[in-house]
Amino acid sequence: MNTPRTDRTIALLETLEKGAAAKVQANLNTMAPDMFDTLLGFGLADVLDRPGIDLRTREMLTVAALTAMGTAPEQLEFHIRAALNTGVTRDEIVEILLQMAVYAGVPACINGVAAARKAFDAHGI
């Protein structure tokens, strides 16, 4: 049985990418029955769903942060696809990556380019 928080998490994840919620929920909950709600409930329902910044802007910020981190290529690719799904353009993604070259370094930018290529291919752009 889902909690209201879990339902909000699922709805938001489905907004970011259709079909992602069931896949991610199954993957995380095989590790522990409440892992999906614990991890993604915090990140999505408690933070990403706050009213202070729109979802499109939050996805741009997430792409920048994950690019700068350089340690989460699968999550970066997902969030680039999610950014595209929330209205961020291909050109805006490229600009985010270029800005991260300045603040996070060229290697982080190049890793971001690899993730972006996969995301762009998935979107046919």
Side-chain angles (χ1 to χ4, degrees):
M1 176 171 221
N2 287 347
T3 66
R5 180 183 189 220
T6 303
D7 290 339
R8 284 188 9 250
T9 302
I10 290 169
L12 188 52
L13 194 51
E14 283 299 302
T15 298
L16 296 177
E17 184 169 80
K18 298 289 183 225
K23 185 174 16 174
V24 173
Q25 192 172 27
N27 179 48
L28 292 177
N29 286 349
T30 58
M31 182 66 63
D34 63 344
M35 191 168 273
F36 177 83
D37 189 54
T38 301
L39 296 180
L40 293 187
F42 169 69
L44 296 177
D46 297 350
V47 177
L48 207 63
D49 201 30
R50 291 174 56 86
I53 301 173
D54 64 273
L55 187 57
R56 180 182 185 280
T57 303
R58 286 187 188 274
E59 280 304 309
M60 293 172 78
L61 293 167
T62 301
V63 168
L66 288 170
T67 300
M69 283 176 49
T71 58
E74 292 86 8
Q75 289 79 16
L76 175 57
E77 182 187 341
F78 170 83
H79 281 285
I80 292 172
R81 292 191 315 267
L84 294 167
N85 290 336
T86 61
V88 178
T89 68
R90 182 187 193 284
D91 290 343
E92 288 172 319
I93 297 293
V94 169
E95 291 301 321
I96 292 167
L97 296 174
L98 287 170
Q99 183 157 339
M100 291 305 98
V102 174
Y103 292 98
V106 171
C109 175
I110 291 172
N111 290 339
V113 167
R117 285 187 192 278
K118 291 177 184 177
F120 296 161
D121 286 348
H123 272 260
I125 59 173

